Amino acid sequence: MDDLKFPKGFLFGVATSACQVEGAGREGGKGASIWDVLAAKPGAIWDGSTPEISCDQYHHLDEDVALLRQLGVQSYRFSFSWPRILPTGTGKVNRQGIDYYHRLVDALNAAGRYTVRVVTNDGHSDSTVPVDRALNS
């Protein structure tokens, strides 16, 4: 194992899901997610935590990206919170939600020595309640 080497171009990165890190569960026009509903049920989450605040990246975005750079992270895979983008699952797009993701991507792509490559995941079990109900009825 002494000669273990990663291939040229290999990126060391980290990954999150919107529900785990964003917080701001009732801000910026965000609709209810299936996780919001589940976490509100007594006993559903062993410690009673909810996605309402989580890591609060929504309010600490610049600090979080600075930490990624400090750690030398080369890529960051994150998911979109569909209730933040389409609060009711269909219809009008929530501009505040789009603006949040623009700020995140802009911060990750900011010029400098430690630009972080953006990788997105369009679904990480964070759908809107209306869409979930429609698909499961």
Side-chain angles (χ1 to χ4, degrees):
M1 292 294 276
D2 291 336
D3 60 348
L4 179 64
K5 293 185 171 112
F6 291 94
K8 185 176 180 161
F10 184 89
L11 298 174
F12 284 92
V14 296
T16 62
S17 75
C19 184
Q20 292 170 328
V21 298
E22 284 183 14
R26 298 172 196 228
E27 296 179 50
K30 181 184 175 289
S33 78
I34 57 174
W35 280 107
D36 296 321
V37 172
L38 175 67
K41 293 179 182 175
I45 309 294
W46 73 270
D47 66 354
S49 61
T50 72
E52 181 78 21
I53 297 173
S54 62
C55 296
D56 205 19
Q57 184 179 64
Y58 190 88
H59 295 110
H60 298 280
L61 188 144
D62 292 329
E63 297 159 72
D64 289 351
V65 171
L67 287 171
L68 293 174
R69 286 197 185 104
Q70 253 183 324
L71 291 169
V73 170
Q74 297 168 305
S75 70
Y76 178 50
R77 198 274 304 154
F78 65 92
S79 65
F80 296 107
S81 169
W82 287 108
R84 191 170 302 287
I85 295 171
L86 288 167
T88 62
T90 61
K92 189 175 179 181
V93 170
N94 176 24
R95 189 72 229 173
Q96 293 176 75
I98 296 296
D99 290 345
Y100 166 74
Y101 291 112
H102 274 277
R103 286 193 322 273
L104 176 58
V105 170
D106 288 348
L108 292 165
N109 286 330
R113 183 173 170 201
Y114 295 110
T115 300
V116 179
R117 182 173 293 179
V118 174
V119 181
T120 62
N121 177 8
D122 69 352
H124 196 122
S125 301
D126 192 22
S127 65
T128 62
V129 172
V131 167
D132 185 67
R133 286 186 179 147
L135 291 173
N136 292 302
S137 59

